[in-house]
Amino acid sequence: MKAVQPPISSPLLLLLLHLWPLCIWGRCIFDQVQSSVRVVSSPILQPNPYDWPLNEAMVKQQVPVISVGRDDLTLQTTQRSQDATSRHPQSLRIRRMEKGWIKALQPQPIRIKTWTSRESPVLSHWERERVEAAVSEAISTVSKLLSVRRVPDRLLLNRDINKYCRFIWRNSSTYNYNRCGRANEKYRAESCLGVTIPDDHLSGYIVYPHPDQPNSQVLKPDGLGVPDTDFLLYMHTQSTAKCRADSSVLAYSVHCQTDADGRPIVGVVVICRESLRVDGFSHERMVQTVIHELFHMLGFSKDLYGTWRDCSLSSQSQLGVGCSSRGHVTNTDETGQMRIYSPNVIKTLHTHLNSTHTELGAPLENQDVGSGGVSSHWEARVLQGSIMMAALGEPSLFQIDRVTLSALQDTGWYTVNFSQAQSLLWGEGEGDLFGSLATCNESSSFFCTGSGLGCHYLHLHKGECQSDEYLEGCRIYKPLANRSECWKEENERKSELENWSGEIYHTDSRCFLSSLIREDHSSHSVSVVGHCYRHRCTGRNMYQIQVGGSDWLDCPAGKSIEVLGYRGTVFCPDRRFCHHHNVNPPASTHKPLLPAQLSTAATFSKRNHTPQPMISNSSLNFKPALPFSTSALKAGMIVASVLVIANVLFLLAVLIIIYRKCCSARVRVHAFIETPHVLQLQAT
Ligand SMILES: *[C@@H]1O[C@H](CO)[C@@H](O)[C@H](O)[C@H]1NC(C)=O
Ligand SMILES: *[C@@H]1O[C@H](CO)[C@@H](O)[C@H](O)[C@H]1NC(C)=O
Ligand SMILES: *[C@@H]1O[C@H](CO)[C@@H](O)[C@H](O)[C@H]1NC(C)=O
Ligand SMILES: *[C@@H]1O[C@H](CO)[C@@H](O)[C@H](O)[C@H]1NC(C)=O
Ligand SMILES: *[C@@H]1O[C@H](CO)[C@@H](O)[C@H](O)[C@H]1NC(C)=O
Ligand SMILES: [Zn+2]
């Protein structure tokens, strides 16, 4: 029976939209999926084209396909000026070949090509657009980071001899040792994670009926292969059982084949179709998820840790030549924590934590791990904010950090361009014990205790002190479910009612721990919570802040300040602002906004406004769904305020007439806004 996908009804959509921010997005099930797949490695029988030293025959075979026409041209022009060599066309040709060969060995940005699986359902125009935009951005990011010894000519995938062959000659002294003796009649095609690999991408297969005779039968010739490709990514967009089982799974992936160096050369990424349909679809989140999956497929995988290569003896220009196996890179430390111990990872973590321990490996997640206790994710308590954590959330809070990139460098298959690394603020300079279960229960600028309100450690969001399954009892300020972003102007409450703390939502606003309250507010002391105030840099780790109605005030890092017109204090965090980090709010929240989305956006903004009595009608006119200049918005708000004030004044007058008693001679702006509530109270 054909599985029919019910269209998501709009109440369900609304429900989804409300539930989404509450759960952990992008939980990764990579380890579970990868262990279900049989990875095909390069057959040992085939000569390794990178074998060193080269013999002339191989050079002749390989070079014509490696050297690019234009390089030949430039080579010719430079050669022409050198009379000696140009008189010997033979030596020139060999030189050209060598140059082409050396170039092929030099690491160059990895070329990742995608191929839509034959099994993928036909996607709607906008589903396809969302997938393609996200995947191509992810690939472009990764290929700027990683360079690889490129595959010459075309990438041709291997067939699994254990599938197409009924038996293999196993007598090592025979001519056809390790070759296929009989074909498996039931064999149809190669597949990986439910995706059929086209014959065109695969090498052929040959059967050798006699153990000692060279005669053979070609059952399938070689396919054409995939040109200019170092990693082939099969894309499969479908609502699979794994997607339906856990709505926080956006995508999952596996690597399917490795080359003679052990480098993964092909993978499958399944993109859960339901994640594209949700109205709260975020392009950034999808891009980040695909980058995360690519990092797994390219080497950050427990199934590949054992095949990482040590290339410290090979020269920088000839990546992969003269490498040896690294052996075990994972081990448990004295506390039972599983860690990766590889040179660049150790060095980077050492610098990051400013640790004194010279052999501190990077800890792996110990939740959600199967047998063996090795995970393909970093420990959330120590490397919070890394893109290789087991669960991702709001994209601006996760970085392509140096520790992850060091791990990819330590695979031996890539050289990494570290200039593209993003800074990981979490735990910086905090020492070896940072994030351990023994120390995380003490309040610090990273961990919290209790369940109060505060600021997420990047200060872009207001937060609530919480734990989760990966934190194992440690607590951190996680972004609030609702309107937590200080940099989002729309989060500003439309009424002044609740703004006794002088909050300002603005692109340069950040979260500050504060107990500020307006002097004219009746309550005398309030608890310290996270509030949004503007900030601007005046130097390294030096900045000023602005609170509602105040001037720009110096906020010395690590100290607290008072603000004129307010009781209480604001705490100025140390090494969080105007430091060497580039923690910024996302530039754009949504990628291509389609007309359909625009109309839903408008509906939602309307929906948000209806519960507000009185003010809604007038303010709705000034709340367009399209970008609007701030000055126009301000002008609009002034008009709106005048209207509101007029309304409220009228109401007040009515109240005065009815009750013939006046509350106070003091007239304050906030008091006006309170009146509708007074009315409501009396109505009930
Ligand atoms: C392996 O092949 C050699 C040569 O064909 C033969 O002499 C030998 O008996 C074979 N060994 C076995 C175990 O079949
Ligand atoms: C690394 O990336 C930067 C920025 O894209 C680029 O300018 C630089 O040339 C790259 N370095 C290498 C070695 O590729
Ligand atoms: C690293 O730690 C040492 C003391 O162990 C300290 O003197 C130094 O300032 C720290 N460096 C950073 C960047 O935190
Ligand atoms: C934190 O936990 C450790 C061990 O679990 C305990 O020894 C220590 O007293 C705790 N510290 C606080 C402040 O609760
Ligand atoms: C988010 O805010 C809306 C309106 O202010 C409220 O109805 C809803 O309960 C809030 N959701 C959460 C999870 O706090
Ligand atoms: Zn993962």
Side-chain angles (χ1 to χ4, degrees):
M1 228 175 80
K2 201 170 150 241
V4 179
Q5 284 156 4
I8 295 189
S9 63
S10 58
L12 185 60
L13 245 175
L14 294 188
L15 187 71
L16 268 178
L17 203 69
H18 272 238
L19 285 178
W20 262 48
L22 296 177
C23 58
I24 300 173
W25 305 319
R27 188 191 305 277
C28 184
I29 55 169
F30 175 80
D31 281 341
Q32 177 200 331
V33 181
Q34 182 68 63
S35 59
S36 71
V37 165
R38 220 191 102 83
V39 174
V40 179
S41 48
S42 177
I44 308 139
L45 200 72
Q46 281 183 2
N48 178 357
Y50 302 125
D51 273 349
W52 196 264
L54 302 170
N55 60 50
E56 180 108 10
M58 274 172 68
V59 173
K60 275 187 184 139
Q61 237 177 12
Q62 296 290 338
V63 167
V65 295
I66 297 165
S67 61
V68 188
R70 205 142 55 87
D71 281 46
D72 271 355
L73 272 178
T74 49
L75 200 68
Q76 269 170 348
T77 43
T78 53
Q79 292 290 354
R80 207 165 280 158
S81 57
Q82 295 170 328
D83 293 346
T85 39
S86 60
R87 269 185 245 121
H88 302 283
Q90 191 62 32
S91 80
L92 173 65
R93 224 179 73 214
I94 287 176
R95 230 168 250 224
R96 253 190 241 165
M97 285 168 180
E98 278 170 0
K99 183 131 181 181
W101 185 259
I102 298 302
K103 191 169 169 230
L105 291 175
Q106 278 172 350
Q108 286 181 278
I110 187 167
R111 299 162 303 175
I112 300 172
K113 292 285 160 65
T114 58
W115 185 272
T116 303
S117 79
R118 176 196 302 176
E119 289 83 2
S120 275
V122 176
L123 301 179
S124 69
H125 168 72
W126 56 272
E127 280 174 319
R128 210 170 52 239
E129 198 163 276
R130 284 177 170 186
V131 172
E132 281 169 8
V135 172
S136 68
E137 189 174 330
I139 287 176
S140 135
T141 303
V142 170
S143 57
K144 279 186 199 126
L145 289 164
L146 304 182
S147 289
V148 72
R149 190 153 51 109
R150 286 188 167 174
V151 172
D153 193 21
R154 288 157 184 275
L155 181 68
L156 197 60
L157 306 179
N158 296 302
R159 289 179 193 267
D160 186 353
I161 194 166
N162 298 298
K163 283 191 191 150
Y164 71 76
C165 197
R166 218 170 62 205
F167 79 77
I168 301 167
W169 299 117
R170 288 302 192 196
N171 182 340
S172 61
S173 46
T174 58
Y175 185 81
N176 288 324
Y177 172 56
N178 265 351
R179 285 180 167 154
C180 183
R182 298 277 180 282
N184 173 6
E185 299 82 13
K186 295 210 184 82
Y187 176 74
R188 289 290 164 269
E190 288 295 319
S191 70
C192 183
L193 201 65
V195 167
T196 305
I197 300 179
D199 276 345
D200 215 26
H201 297 176
L202 288 161
S203 55
Y205 66 107
I206 301 173
V207 167
Y208 300 82
H210 302 288
D212 263 326
Q213 288 167 20
N215 60 322
S216 60
Q217 199 184 345
V218 176
L219 293 186
K220 197 83 138 184
D222 279 356
L224 286 174
V226 192
D228 308 322
T229 305
D230 304 309
F231 186 87
L232 182 58
L233 180 63
Y234 290 107
M235 295 206 310
H236 186 57
T237 308
Q238 194 158 38
S239 163
T240 64
K242 286 190 178 66
C243 299
R244 290 191 298 266
D246 184 347
S247 65
S248 67
V249 173
L250 301 187
Y252 54 93
S253 67
V254 294
H255 74 269
C256 311
Q257 297 205 358
T258 53
D259 70 4
D261 292 341
R263 181 176 76 78
I265 49 172
V266 55
V268 171
V269 63
V270 175
I271 292 174
C272 292
R273 198 173 176 185
E274 38 280 86
S275 69
L276 300 172
R277 272 185 277 184
V278 176
D279 253 30
F281 173 83
S282 150
H283 170 76
E284 282 72 23
R285 194 189 312 157
M286 189 53 87
V287 170
Q288 197 159 59
T289 305
V290 176
I291 295 175
H292 175 104
E293 298 302 327
L294 276 169
F295 283 171
H296 278 317
M297 289 185 272
L298 292 171
F300 197 95
S301 159
K302 71 175 170 132
D303 292 312
L304 291 167
Y305 295 156
T307 58
W308 286 10
R309 287 152 62 85
D310 179 0
C311 297
S312 51
L313 294 177
S314 95
S315 70
Q316 188 61 32
S317 62
Q318 293 174 7
L319 178 69
V321 176
C323 302
S324 57
S325 167
R326 254 186 216 292
H328 274 291
V329 292
T330 52
N331 220 331
T332 47
D333 67 7
E334 59 280 3
T335 67
Q337 173 72 55
M338 185 63 75
R339 292 176 186 268
I340 288 186
Y341 296 89
S342 61
N344 285 297
V345 167
I346 290 174
K347 202 163 68 194
T348 307
L349 191 69
H350 187 260
T351 311
H352 174 66
L353 294 176
N354 191 17
S355 125
T356 49
H357 198 315
T358 50
E359 283 294 307
L360 192 69
L364 293 172
E365 186 52 68
N366 42 13
Q367 298 306 109
D368 258 1
V369 283
S371 56
V374 184
S375 160
S376 304
H377 297 113
W378 296 126
E379 171 56 58
R381 288 179 275 110
V382 179
L383 289 162
Q384 184 74 220
S386 162
I387 189 163
M388 291 319 285
M389 288 207 343
L392 299 179
E394 160 96 30
S396 57
L397 307 183
F398 293 85
Q399 276 82 39
I400 300 177
D401 59 289
R402 286 174 173 273
V403 185
T404 299
L405 292 179
S406 298
L408 288 164
Q409 173 94 59
D410 283 339
T411 62
W413 302 312
Y414 312 103
T415 53
V416 175
N417 188 343
F418 279 92
S419 74
Q420 310 269 329
Q422 295 171 332
S423 49
L424 190 68
L425 213 147
W426 182 262
E428 200 180 56
E430 294 283 303
D432 317 339
L433 289 178
F434 177 74
S436 67
L437 292 172
T439 59
C440 78
N441 56 354
E442 286 150 28
S443 246
S444 68
S445 62
F446 293 103
F447 291 100
C448 54
T449 53
S451 52
L453 299 175
C455 296
H456 180 269
Y457 75 99
L458 292 179
H459 294 266
L460 292 169
H461 298 249
K462 299 202 268 189
E464 186 180 357
C465 189
Q466 288 172 325
S467 190
D468 66 39
E469 58 179 305
Y470 301 106
L471 290 170
E472 294 152 272
C474 297
R475 306 179 79 81
I476 64 173
Y477 286 114
K478 298 189 152 208
L480 303 176
N482 252 352
R483 316 217 272 198
S484 70
E485 305 93 339
C486 286
W487 46 268
K488 235 187 208 176
E489 284 169 31
E490 4 2 333
N491 284 345
E492 182 108 38
R493 303 201 181 262
K494 287 294 164 274
S495 72
E496 285 258 310
L497 174 64
E498 292 166 71
N499 199 4
W500 293 106
S501 48
E503 285 201 297
I504 304 174
Y505 289 83
H506 189 272
T507 41
D508 57 23
S509 287
R510 296 293 181 268
C511 183
F512 292 84
L513 281 173
S514 142
S515 60
L516 286 192
I517 184 120
R518 275 187 198 219
E519 262 172 354
D520 51 12
H521 189 262
S522 51
S523 84
H524 277 266
S525 69
V526 287
S527 53
V528 175
V529 292
H531 282 310
C532 302
Y533 303 124
R534 293 183 68 181
H535 89 299
R536 68 178 186 197
C537 297
T538 54
R540 190 172 149 87
N541 203 22
M542 287 163 72
Y543 50 91
Q544 295 183 318
I545 66 165
Q546 190 184 39
V547 174
S550 87
D551 289 331
W552 284 100
L553 308 163
D554 283 324
C555 200
K559 303 233 162 55
S560 295
I561 61 162
E562 294 182 343
V563 180
L564 198 67
Y566 291 85
R567 285 191 294 267
T569 55
V570 189
F571 179 71
C572 312
D574 187 21
R575 290 183 299 164
R576 289 293 202 276
F577 305 124
C578 316
H579 210 230
H580 58 271
H581 306 287
N582 39 356
V583 178
N584 287 314
S588 65
T589 0
H590 288 280
K591 259 278 153 88
L593 201 58
L594 304 161
Q597 288 168 277
L598 271 177
S599 63
T600 34
T603 336
F604 278 107
S605 72
K606 258 182 218 149
R607 199 173 51 83
N608 284 345
H609 280 266
T610 31
Q612 286 177 306
M614 317 282 297
I615 311 161
S616 65
N617 284 342
S618 47
S619 72
L620 193 66
N621 301 331
F622 301 102
K623 179 78 178 80
L626 291 162
F628 206 69
S629 85
T630 340
S631 58
L633 200 64
K634 278 199 183 119
M637 273 158 69
I638 291 166
V639 179
S641 311
V642 170
L643 283 175
V644 169
I645 290 168
N647 263 336
V648 169
L649 271 176
F650 172 74
L651 259 171
L652 249 183
V654 171
L655 273 176
I656 291 164
I657 293 164
I658 292 173
Y659 296 101
R660 283 172 189 275
K661 66 184 174 189
C662 188
C663 336
S664 148
R666 286 187 303 159
V667 179
R668 290 174 310 191
V669 184
H670 319 294
F672 295 134
I673 317 286
E674 264 176 335
T675 15
H677 281 254
V678 174
L679 264 183
Q680 276 181 343
L681 271 177
Q682 293 189 339
T684 47

mmCIF file with all atom_site columns, all heavy atoms in Angstrom, residues 18 22 481-483 493, ligand 5:
data_model
loop_
_atom_site.group_PDB
_atom_site.id
_atom_site.type_symbol
_atom_site.label_atom_id
_atom_site.label_alt_id
_atom_site.label_comp_id
_atom_site.label_asym_id
_atom_site.label_entity_id
_atom_site.label_seq_id
_atom_site.pdbx_PDB_ins_code
_atom_site.Cartn_x
_atom_site.Cartn_y
_atom_site.Cartn_z
_atom_site.occupancy
_atom_site.B_iso_or_equiv
_atom_site.pdbx_formal_charge
_atom_site.auth_seq_id
_atom_site.auth_comp_id
_atom_site.auth_asym_id
_atom_site.auth_atom_id
_atom_site.pdbx_PDB_model_num
ATOM   1  N N   . HIS A 1 18  ? 4.356  26.313 17.724 1.00 0.00 ? 18  HIS A N   1
ATOM   2  C CA  . HIS A 1 18  ? 4.520  26.643 19.133 1.00 0.00 ? 18  HIS A CA  1
ATOM   3  C C   . HIS A 1 18  ? 5.422  25.676 19.850 1.00 0.00 ? 18  HIS A C   1
ATOM   4  O O   . HIS A 1 18  ? 6.112  26.034 20.782 1.00 0.00 ? 18  HIS A O   1
ATOM   5  C CB  . HIS A 1 18  ? 3.154  26.684 19.813 1.00 0.00 ? 18  HIS A CB  1
ATOM   6  C CG  . HIS A 1 18  ? 2.530  28.033 19.705 1.00 0.00 ? 18  HIS A CG  1
ATOM   7  N ND1 . HIS A 1 18  ? 2.167  28.774 20.777 1.00 0.00 ? 18  HIS A ND1 1
ATOM   8  C CD2 . HIS A 1 18  ? 2.271  28.786 18.624 1.00 0.00 ? 18  HIS A CD2 1
ATOM   9  C CE1 . HIS A 1 18  ? 1.682  29.933 20.371 1.00 0.00 ? 18  HIS A CE1 1
ATOM   10 N NE2 . HIS A 1 18  ? 1.739  29.956 19.060 1.00 0.00 ? 18  HIS A NE2 1
ATOM   11 N N   . LEU A 1 22  ? 10.466 24.764 21.782 1.00 0.00 ? 22  LEU A N   1
ATOM   12 C CA  . LEU A 1 22  ? 10.548 24.163 23.104 1.00 0.00 ? 22  LEU A CA  1
ATOM   13 C C   . LEU A 1 22  ? 11.440 22.931 23.112 1.00 0.00 ? 22  LEU A C   1
ATOM   14 O O   . LEU A 1 22  ? 12.064 22.619 24.107 1.00 0.00 ? 22  LEU A O   1
ATOM   15 C CB  . LEU A 1 22  ? 9.153  23.761 23.590 1.00 0.00 ? 22  LEU A CB  1
ATOM   16 C CG  . LEU A 1 22  ? 8.205  24.931 23.795 1.00 0.00 ? 22  LEU A CG  1
ATOM   17 C CD1 . LEU A 1 22  ? 6.849  24.426 24.199 1.00 0.00 ? 22  LEU A CD1 1
ATOM   18 C CD2 . LEU A 1 22  ? 8.768  25.850 24.862 1.00 0.00 ? 22  LEU A CD2 1
ATOM   19 N N   . ALA A 1 481 ? 11.940 30.335 25.652 1.00 0.00 ? 481 ALA A N   1
ATOM   20 C CA  . ALA A 1 481 ? 11.146 29.828 24.529 1.00 0.00 ? 481 ALA A CA  1
ATOM   21 C C   . ALA A 1 481 ? 10.558 30.980 23.714 1.00 0.00 ? 481 ALA A C   1
ATOM   22 O O   . ALA A 1 481 ? 10.333 30.864 22.516 1.00 0.00 ? 481 ALA A O   1
ATOM   23 C CB  . ALA A 1 481 ? 10.044 28.943 25.054 1.00 0.00 ? 481 ALA A CB  1
ATOM   24 N N   . ASN A 1 482 ? 10.342 32.104 24.360 1.00 0.00 ? 482 ASN A N   1
ATOM   25 C CA  . ASN A 1 482 ? 9.603  33.189 23.736 1.00 0.00 ? 482 ASN A CA  1
ATOM   26 C C   . ASN A 1 482 ? 10.396 34.484 23.753 1.00 0.00 ? 482 ASN A C   1
ATOM   27 O O   . ASN A 1 482 ? 10.884 34.869 24.803 1.00 0.00 ? 482 ASN A O   1
ATOM   28 C CB  . ASN A 1 482 ? 8.349  33.450 24.576 1.00 0.00 ? 482 ASN A CB  1
ATOM   29 C CG  . ASN A 1 482 ? 7.122  32.974 23.867 1.00 0.00 ? 482 ASN A CG  1
ATOM   30 O OD1 . ASN A 1 482 ? 7.170  32.598 22.712 1.00 0.00 ? 482 ASN A OD1 1
ATOM   31 N ND2 . ASN A 1 482 ? 6.003  33.019 24.566 1.00 0.00 ? 482 ASN A ND2 1
ATOM   32 N N   . ARG A 1 483 ? 10.487 35.153 22.651 1.00 0.00 ? 483 ARG A N   1
ATOM   33 C CA  . ARG A 1 483 ? 11.030 36.513 22.599 1.00 0.00 ? 483 ARG A CA  1
ATOM   34 C C   . ARG A 1 483 ? 12.296 36.701 23.425 1.00 0.00 ? 483 ARG A C   1
ATOM   35 O O   . ARG A 1 483 ? 12.415 37.654 24.201 1.00 0.00 ? 483 ARG A O   1
ATOM   36 C CB  . ARG A 1 483 ? 9.976  37.502 23.109 1.00 0.00 ? 483 ARG A CB  1
ATOM   37 C CG  . ARG A 1 483 ? 8.596  37.208 22.553 1.00 0.00 ? 483 ARG A CG  1
ATOM   38 C CD  . ARG A 1 483 ? 7.863  38.443 22.268 1.00 0.00 ? 483 ARG A CD  1
ATOM   39 N NE  . ARG A 1 483 ? 7.108  38.951 23.397 1.00 0.00 ? 483 ARG A NE  1
ATOM   40 C CZ  . ARG A 1 483 ? 6.127  39.838 23.246 1.00 0.00 ? 483 ARG A CZ  1
ATOM   41 N NH1 . ARG A 1 483 ? 5.819  40.276 22.049 1.00 0.00 ? 483 ARG A NH1 1
ATOM   42 N NH2 . ARG A 1 483 ? 5.498  40.288 24.286 1.00 0.00 ? 483 ARG A NH2 1
ATOM   43 N N   . ARG A 1 493 ? 8.096  44.939 23.696 1.00 0.00 ? 493 ARG A N   1
ATOM   44 C CA  . ARG A 1 493 ? 6.671  44.874 24.003 1.00 0.00 ? 493 ARG A CA  1
ATOM   45 C C   . ARG A 1 493 ? 6.009  46.134 23.496 1.00 0.00 ? 493 ARG A C   1
ATOM   46 O O   . ARG A 1 493 ? 6.558  47.217 23.617 1.00 0.00 ? 493 ARG A O   1
ATOM   47 C CB  . ARG A 1 493 ? 6.452  44.714 25.498 1.00 0.00 ? 493 ARG A CB  1
ATOM   48 C CG  . ARG A 1 493 ? 7.166  43.486 25.964 1.00 0.00 ? 493 ARG A CG  1
ATOM   49 C CD  . ARG A 1 493 ? 6.646  42.942 27.244 1.00 0.00 ? 493 ARG A CD  1
ATOM   50 N NE  . ARG A 1 493 ? 7.478  41.784 27.547 1.00 0.00 ? 493 ARG A NE  1
ATOM   51 C CZ  . ARG A 1 493 ? 7.123  40.543 27.274 1.00 0.00 ? 493 ARG A CZ  1
ATOM   52 N NH1 . ARG A 1 493 ? 5.949  40.297 26.737 1.00 0.00 ? 493 ARG A NH1 1
ATOM   53 N NH2 . ARG A 1 493 ? 7.930  39.546 27.555 1.00 0.00 ? 493 ARG A NH2 1
HETATM 54 C C1  . LIG B 2 .   ? 4.822  32.748 24.328 1.00 0.00 ? 5   LIG B C1  1
HETATM 55 O O1  . LIG B 2 .   ? 4.116  33.977 24.373 1.00 0.00 ? 5   LIG B O1  1
HETATM 56 C C2  . LIG B 2 .   ? 2.747  33.852 24.140 1.00 0.00 ? 5   LIG B C2  1
HETATM 57 C C3  . LIG B 2 .   ? 2.144  35.247 24.123 1.00 0.00 ? 5   LIG B C3  1
HETATM 58 O O2  . LIG B 2 .   ? 2.825  36.120 24.945 1.00 0.00 ? 5   LIG B O2  1
HETATM 59 C C4  . LIG B 2 .   ? 2.128  32.987 25.237 1.00 0.00 ? 5   LIG B C4  1
HETATM 60 O O3  . LIG B 2 .   ? 0.754  32.845 25.011 1.00 0.00 ? 5   LIG B O3  1
HETATM 61 C C5  . LIG B 2 .   ? 2.787  31.633 25.211 1.00 0.00 ? 5   LIG B C5  1
HETATM 62 O O4  . LIG B 2 .   ? 2.296  30.843 26.259 1.00 0.00 ? 5   LIG B O4  1
HETATM 63 C C6  . LIG B 2 .   ? 4.272  31.789 25.369 1.00 0.00 ? 5   LIG B C6  1
HETATM 64 N N1  . LIG B 2 .   ? 4.903  30.509 25.225 1.00 0.00 ? 5   LIG B N1  1
HETATM 65 C C7  . LIG B 2 .   ? 5.724  30.061 26.119 1.00 0.00 ? 5   LIG B C7  1
HETATM 66 C C8  . LIG B 2 .   ? 6.276  28.719 25.873 1.00 0.00 ? 5   LIG B C8  1
HETATM 67 O O5  . LIG B 2 .   ? 6.039  30.693 27.108 1.00 0.00 ? 5   LIG B O5  1
#
